[in-house]
Amino acid sequence: MVEFSFEQVVEKESWLIKSVIKNLHIYKELDDYYQEGLIGLWEAYQRYDSSIGASFRTFAYYTIRGKLLTRLKKRKKQEDREATLSDAVTETLIDEWANQPFELETVLSYCRDLTESQRKWVLMTIIEGKRPREIAEEEQVSIETVKSWRRYALQKMRKNMSIELN
């Protein structure tokens, strides 16, 4: 791509980044993924060799796609690590509180902004002492779905608790 400056390439091919983002069904952190796509476009711009037989657009598409897939894999790994840490914290809290009776009303007071599914997770985990796998089987959803209920429930509950403390 020696005949064009990178700015011209970005102006002409930025739709390609958006297309890859759409094809990969990315809907969170769009600015971060767009930025990663720009880096992929830059790498394609730097490495493109017309003698390989593919058009620049094809080469750029697969370079951007590869860059975004790598970022998605890293993000998934990070979420899994956070979920594992969250599991350990939840299990520790459950163990610490196991000898103290919970009143349903007390638990529900921290659940005011939760969705129905998130409330189910709280009640089944804290009151009934069930593990994510048991909840997933009972609710006929994947373990990943149960983990997402947990993640968002804990975020909202922390927010509610911090509001009460202030």
Side-chain angles (χ1 to χ4, degrees), residues 5-160:
S5 72
F6 181 66
E7 289 77 18
Q8 291 170 320
V9 170
V10 169
E11 190 174 307
K12 187 176 178 184
E13 305 294 342
S14 65
W15 67 270
L16 204 54
I17 299 168
K18 295 172 187 170
S19 174
V20 173
I21 288 172
K22 183 178 178 183
N23 289 340
L24 293 175
H25 306 287
I26 298 171
Y27 58 93
K28 294 180 183 177
E29 302 171 357
L30 289 174
D31 290 340
D32 292 341
Y33 283 100
Y34 184 81
Q35 182 66 33
E36 197 73 24
L38 280 174
I39 293 169
L41 186 60
W42 170 254
E43 289 176 4
Y45 176 78
Q46 292 293 312
R47 293 185 359 232
Y48 179 67
D49 180 6
S50 59
S51 67
I52 62 173
S55 70
F56 174 75
R57 186 170 286 157
T58 301
F59 182 74
Y61 178 87
Y62 285 105
T63 304
I64 293 166
R65 188 173 193 278
K67 196 81 171 157
L68 293 180
L69 284 171
T70 300
R71 169 88 187 234
L72 284 169
K73 287 177 189 173
K74 286 180 182 177
R75 179 71 182 139
K76 176 71 173 132
K77 227 180 210 181
Q78 179 184 1
E79 285 177 0
D80 287 348
R81 265 188 257 121
E82 289 171 0
T84 302
L85 178 61
S86 182
D87 277 343
V89 170
T90 302
E91 288 174 16
T92 302
L93 289 175
I94 290 171
D95 290 343
E96 287 177 13
W97 293 339
N99 297 329
Q100 300 175 2
F102 267 110
E103 291 186 26
L104 185 58
E105 186 177 311
T106 305
V107 173
L108 289 176
S109 70
Y110 292 106
C111 300
R112 63 180 170 266
D113 296 332
L114 303 184
T115 65
E116 172 98 19
S117 299
Q118 292 164 352
R119 262 192 221 99
K120 280 182 189 177
W121 174 82
V122 170
L123 295 174
M124 293 174 128
T125 301
I126 295 176
I127 302 297
E128 299 174 23
K130 293 183 179 176
R131 302 277 184 225
R133 182 177 305 282
E134 296 169 313
I135 296 170
E137 288 171 2
E138 189 172 318
E139 294 298 315
Q140 298 179 343
V141 295
S142 71
I143 293 176
E144 294 302 317
T145 300
V146 173
K147 287 180 179 180
S148 77
W149 294 348
R150 175 190 58 226
R151 182 174 52 250
Y152 293 115
L154 290 173
Q155 285 175 358
K156 290 176 183 178
M157 291 171 74
R158 284 185 195 111
K159 181 181 169 191
N160 289 342

